Amino acid sequence: MPPALLRVHRTFAAEARSVVEARRFAREQLEQWGATDVLDSVSLVVSELVTNAVVHTGTPARVALQLQGSDLRVEVEDHHPGRAVPLVPERPVDRAEHGRGLLITASLSSAWGVEYSPTTKRVWATCPLPGGDRSLPHPAAAKPAGTARVGVVETAPDGRVTHWNEDACAMSGWLSSDVTGRPAADLLDPEPGQGLPADLADPTFAARWQGTCQLTCRDGSTVDVYATSVRRTAGGQVVLFVPSGQREVVAPPVGATARPAAPPSPVLPGLRPEALVRLGSQELLALAVEHVRDPVQADATWLLLVHEVDDDMEVAAVSGLPEAVLGTRLAPGSPGAPSAQSPERPVVFTDTADHPVSLLAGTDLRSLVVVPLLVEGRVVGALGAASARVDGFTDDQAVLLQRFADSIAVAADRARLQASERARREWLTFIADAGDLLAASLDHDMTMAITGQIVVPRIAPWCAIHLLDQRGVPVLQQVWHQDETRVDALREELAQPPPAAATTDGGDEGALWPQVQGQPVTTIPLVARRRRIGYLTLGRPPEELRRTEFYLVAESIARRAALAIDNARAHGNLQAVGRALQESLLPPSTPSPPGLDVGVVYEAAGEDTLAGGDFYDLFPAGNGRWCFVVGDVCGTGAEAAAVTGLARHTVQALVRAGFPLPATLERLNTAILEEGERSRFLTLVCGTLHVEGGRMRLTLVNAGHPPVFLVGPEGQVREVGNPQPLLGVVEAVAYTAEEHVLQRDDLLVALTDGVTERRDGDVMLGAEGVARELASTSGMPAQAVAEQVRRLAVDYSAAPQRDDMAILAIRVQVGPVVAQGPA
């Protein structure tokens, strides 16, 4: 014959209080069935599933318990089938404040699943009873001799019956449906002199009472019973009654002192060994605070863990409190935390109206008890419990809470150390990434902008940077705020001169402004190379920042930011000096000589270089003459630029003084050699253009430079200027000049080997490639020709430009046009 099927159910409203009531309903029903082996597991499963149904669906939840043999099934049904439940619960991130309900359910049950209908969703879980297949007697059946029936009556705040268990039915003959809604005082009538009120709904009724009553049966008879109230629930009562001769079942013998039983196993009773492996420390702590509520008859419990950086305690797990309190920091000695003077002793608040507790703000909780978590004599945390009743905890319950705290202390300390190590790794990664970002920039403004992005909002909601000017006065540079609409007002206030006392160099503790926008702020000096360069102001109070790890991180970021800002500022200054010197090596502008159209392109190798080893010049030489120079110093960079300046200014000074071109270059050769080790050889082509007899005459000297291209009006290209010895190589050198007569529309193109030696792999562009390109430039303006040659060199290879490049194009616009004969 199959074992009897036992099934009960109850519907709970969509409110937070329903979680407590559903858990109590499950515990009481399992106690009646004798299934105490799974009492804790089922209670936690019911709590998690009802929480999901009530909180996430906002609909009433129907809880059903079904027992047949050793198979116990829990079902929680809601009216929101559209919100699907994941069949494989994912482990939440370590800092998540929720999301562990299904993981806990899977860990505590042998199987679970979800059933959907058009209007409902039912989540079920099975929790087999240990000991194999067995059959439990139906509560209404006759009980063995020596076994007492315990009637359980639950009343609403108005004293009407809301629950009437099977034993109460058997003892009175009343069915649950007969008495539900009736006043409990009609069924349980206290005897005179027992001190029990006639109306169980009397608000003056004690929270705990016991005495003899008469139970009115359905047939009109009465039975003497011994009744006791075990707990007030939302203003109602839970009353237990037994035959008067078996009062010891619900009341301790006279003179005996009832002691609470210690938790039967460490950490979490009823949790299977495989669940301990599957759950992490955070899940275990969440289960622990949930599990302790019923044994100590608390309406809310919470767990605090000590921070490694300071003595503050942080809320790590809660039950019965809003999840928003997770992460709340409590200073030592504050209400809700252990005493600062004696942290190893329990703390009891009988009425929070006399001692407000910020942790319980907004709740109806009136009393609390907090016990420490001790590991090797050191306080690592605390376990707190709160009740809606004034003076809601007995000494026995406080002792039980301490015993439970002792059983979870090691697990809590492990979770604390894991969280500290995880936070430390996160901060180290954050600091390392911040250092990389700051080191990657050499732009002054960009470096400060990166600093603001690092600090806001991770460390503070806003920050500002002041740098000291030459007088040592802080000058506001930049401001950042997580709310962009508040930046302007903040900048306006911070731009004002700080108090005189704040600008003194009296240490690192003082802030530039004690308050900004009415709120205290923290100022951290920016120190680079043992020199203060400014201040980093954070929009967080000093006392709040200093007792957390944020201050250590903020100091580390400030040190890195100060060095990066100082480096960027020094780099900017050097770049400005170098730019000014480099610009002096080139003509300030391209002149426009009469009768000539001039085009120039200059590109120095390197992103931050304006001038290098290649150079050009075009200047008036007197008597209507114009002198042009294109040269190439060996190498690139600052050393080559130094010789460039020497060559350009020497040629210009000597030519303007009337020296012929050969004599000019001979003296330049001597000046270069006199530089000694700093000297570098260079190639150079130098020529003068002047109109004589209606014709444009060209005088040209080539000192080892690529020849000048002469392009005729019809596109014919030839090279002029025979190469002669390089400059700066030998002491005794003599140069000779070439004379050429140019026609109208003739084009001269002088360039450096940065163009002709441009390579694509092993193939060089060469003079032939440039000549082919110039053959198509007939009639083009000189600047367009220079740009076309530059594009030819750039497009010839995908490799970056590694050599300086100078291109000077001059088109003749005076003189006769010579008719061209047939080809």
Side-chain angles (χ1 to χ4, degrees):
M1 180 178 180
L5 174 64
L6 308 180
R7 182 178 176 86
V8 294
H9 62 83
R10 184 179 298 182
T11 301
F12 299 90
E15 56 187 20
R17 174 68 65 177
S18 296
V19 178
V20 178
E21 295 176 352
R23 186 171 59 249
R24 182 179 299 111
F25 160 71
R27 293 182 69 90
E28 293 175 351
Q29 192 60 53
L30 294 179
E31 288 173 351
Q32 293 179 31
W33 287 347
T36 56
D37 294 330
V38 292
L39 193 64
D40 295 307
S41 298
V42 172
S43 177
L44 291 172
V45 169
V46 169
S47 177
E48 295 298 334
L49 296 184
V50 172
T51 298
N52 288 341
V54 170
V55 173
H56 299 303
T57 68
T59 69
R62 179 177 178 270
V63 180
L65 301 175
Q66 177 178 301
L67 177 63
Q68 186 171 23
S70 62
D71 295 327
L72 179 66
R73 178 183 172 104
V74 181
E75 299 176 355
V76 177
E77 183 180 272
D78 61 64
H79 298 278
H80 195 341
R83 189 179 187 279
V85 175
L87 294 180
V88 179
E90 297 181 357
R91 179 179 295 276
V93 297
D94 293 325
R95 292 191 172 188
E97 297 178 350
H98 48 74
R100 298 181 171 87
L102 293 179
L103 183 62
I104 291 173
T105 299
S107 299
L108 295 175
S109 60
S110 60
W112 73 284
V114 188
E115 299 173 356
Y116 297 92
S117 73
T119 58
T120 63
K121 174 177 79 266
R122 179 184 299 129
V123 183
W124 59 268
T126 59
C127 300
L129 276 64
D133 194 15
R134 64 176 182 174
S135 298
L136 296 177
H138 194 287
K143 295 194 174 184
T147 302
R149 294 185 183 276
V150 180
V152 180
V153 182
E154 187 170 346
T155 67
D158 61 358
R160 296 183 180 275
V161 175
T162 58
H163 176 63
W164 189 266
N165 76 335
E166 298 280 354
D167 279 1
C169 294
M171 294 169 65
S172 66
W174 294 107
L175 299 178
S176 178
S177 58
D178 297 332
V179 298
T180 300
R182 292 182 57 182
D186 292 347
L187 304 170
L188 288 172
D189 184 17
E191 289 187 358
Q194 293 297 318
L196 299 180
D199 185 1
L200 297 181
D202 188 341
T204 64
F205 192 62
R208 297 181 64 85
W209 58 268
Q210 57 189 14
T212 303
C213 298
Q214 288 186 341
L215 173 64
T216 302
C217 300
R218 183 167 186 169
D219 59 5
S221 62
T222 59
V223 176
D224 291 337
V225 296
Y226 186 86
T228 178
S229 166
V230 295
R231 175 182 342 175
R232 183 186 300 272
T233 59
Q237 291 284 332
V238 175
V239 182
L240 307 181
F241 62 89
V242 296
S244 57
Q246 299 176 334
R247 59 182 297 171
E248 66 276 1
V249 174
V250 294
V254 177
T257 301
R259 303 299 299 174
S265 64
V267 186
L268 287 178
L271 194 63
R272 301 195 311 276
E274 60 268 25
L276 290 170
V277 177
R278 295 172 63 184
L279 294 179
S281 297
Q282 195 63 36
E283 287 78 19
L284 286 175
L285 297 182
L287 285 174
V289 296
E290 181 75 25
H291 173 75
V292 76
R293 284 179 62 181
D294 282 338
V296 300
Q297 299 181 17
D299 294 301
T301 50
W302 63 93
L303 181 71
L304 303 173
L305 294 180
V306 174
H307 258 267
E308 284 291 322
V309 177
D310 48 52
D311 296 330
D312 282 1
M313 289 189 174
E314 182 175 344
V315 179
V318 296
S319 176
L321 290 176
E323 291 183 345
V325 304
L326 286 172
T328 301
R329 301 286 290 269
L330 298 180
S334 60
S339 168
Q341 292 75 23
S342 303
E344 72 283 354
R345 300 179 64 86
V347 176
V348 178
F349 286 85
T350 57
D351 191 352
T352 58
D354 300 330
H355 301 86
V357 179
S358 60
L359 192 64
L360 307 181
T363 68
D364 58 354
L365 302 173
R366 295 293 303 276
S367 60
L368 63 88
V369 57
V370 179
V371 297
L373 272 64
L374 297 171
V375 176
E376 298 179 352
R378 181 170 52 91
V379 177
V380 300
L383 183 62
S387 172
R389 304 183 303 274
V390 175
D391 195 12
F393 297 100
T394 65
D395 292 342
D396 292 341
Q397 290 168 334
V399 171
L400 178 58
L401 186 66
Q402 183 63 72
R403 290 182 180 178
F404 195 89
D406 293 341
S407 72
I408 67 170
V410 174
D413 192 39
R414 183 174 65 250
R416 180 183 68 89
L417 295 176
Q418 289 175 349
S420 297
E421 181 61 25
R422 184 167 54 250
R424 186 177 294 108
R425 289 197 301 267
E426 290 177 356
W427 282 123
L428 288 175
T429 302
F430 174 72
I431 293 173
D433 292 344
D436 290 342
L437 287 173
L438 291 169
S441 173
L442 285 175
D443 181 85
H444 187 243
D445 293 334
M446 178 61 70
T447 302
M448 290 190 293
I450 292 173
T451 302
Q453 294 172 0
I454 292 171
V455 172
V456 179
R458 183 74 181 269
I459 298 176
W462 65 265
C463 76
I465 291 181
H466 290 77
L467 296 183
L468 302 181
D469 61 11
Q470 295 179 349
R471 301 168 298 166
V473 177
V475 178
L476 180 65
Q477 302 295 316
Q478 294 193 24
V479 178
W480 300 267
H481 200 296
Q482 62 183 2
D483 183 358
E484 294 183 358
T485 61
R486 301 178 60 181
V487 171
D488 292 338
L490 190 62
R491 180 183 292 109
E492 182 178 355
E493 182 172 352
L494 292 172
Q496 301 300 320
T503 61
T504 60
D505 193 27
D508 296 347
E509 298 298 328
L512 291 181
W513 290 267
Q515 289 189 340
V516 175
Q517 296 184 342
Q519 299 295 326
V521 300
T522 302
T523 298
I524 302 177
L526 296 175
V527 179
R529 300 176 178 88
R530 300 182 180 181
R531 178 174 54 88
R532 182 176 300 184
I533 65 171
Y535 298 91
L536 174 65
T537 303
L538 305 176
R540 293 189 68 175
E543 60 276 5
E544 174 186 328
L545 199 64
R546 289 186 183 276
R547 72 168 189 262
T548 65
E549 64 273 18
F550 286 104
Y551 189 76
L552 300 177
V553 176
E555 278 191 323
S556 180
I557 296 298
R559 288 195 299 270
R560 287 163 171 78
L563 187 60
I565 292 172
D566 196 49
N567 288 340
R569 184 162 57 180
H571 176 76
N573 293 337
L574 290 174
Q575 194 175 38
V577 171
R579 184 179 296 109
L581 293 176
Q582 290 170 356
E583 288 177 349
S584 69
L585 304 179
L586 299 175
S589 61
T590 302
S592 299
L596 299 175
D597 178 25
V598 179
V600 175
V601 168
Y602 183 89
E603 285 191 2
E607 297 180 357
D608 299 326
T609 306
L610 295 179
D614 290 9
F615 66 97
Y616 72 92
D617 201 359
L618 179 63
F619 58 90
N623 299 323
R625 296 184 306 156
W626 282 83
C627 180
F628 68 88
V629 182
V630 175
D632 183 1
V633 178
C634 175
T636 60
E639 295 82 0
V643 179
T644 296
L646 173 65
R648 175 173 175 262
H649 292 102
T650 299
V651 170
Q652 188 171 138
L654 294 175
V655 170
R656 287 178 182 271
F659 282 85
L661 293 184
T664 296
L665 297 189
E666 291 167 2
R667 285 167 172 75
L668 174 61
N669 182 69
T670 301
I672 294 174
L673 291 174
E674 289 176 350
E675 288 293 308
E677 295 181 356
R678 296 181 300 175
S679 66
R680 289 171 175 258
F681 68 85
L682 72 148
T683 65
L684 180 145
V685 60
C686 180
T688 58
L689 294 165
H690 66 282
V691 178
E692 182 178 322
R695 297 176 180 271
M696 182 68 70
R697 294 188 175 275
L698 168 64
T699 302
L700 188 66
V701 178
N702 187 338
H705 200 76
V708 176
F709 294 95
L710 177 59
V711 184
E714 300 299 324
Q716 62 275 26
V717 181
R718 63 189 179 95
E719 297 179 356
V720 295
N722 295 320
Q724 301 180 57
L726 282 69
L727 295 164
V729 178
V730 295
E731 294 184 2
V733 62
Y735 294 98
T736 59
E738 298 180 10
E739 299 290 338
H740 298 275
V741 178
L742 305 182
Q743 309 299 323
R744 179 182 296 179
D745 291 333
D746 278 352
L747 176 68
L748 286 173
V749 178
L751 43 79
T752 60
D753 59 7
V755 177
T756 57
E757 294 183 1
R758 178 76 164 149
R759 293 179 179 273
D760 183 14
D762 295 332
V763 181
M764 190 165 58
L765 175 61
E768 296 80 4
V770 176
R772 287 193 297 269
E773 187 73 18
L774 291 176
S776 62
T777 60
S778 177
M780 293 178 58
Q783 186 61 40
V785 173
E787 292 289 348
Q788 185 165 327
V789 174
R790 184 196 70 84
R791 285 196 299 270
L792 170 68
V794 171
D795 296 342
Y796 188 75
S797 173
Q801 184 76 20
R802 300 185 182 278
D803 196 3
D804 302 331
M805 182 168 56
I807 304 169
L808 176 64
I810 302 176
R811 186 176 292 279
V812 179
Q813 295 179 326
V814 296
V817 178
V818 178
Q820 300 293 326

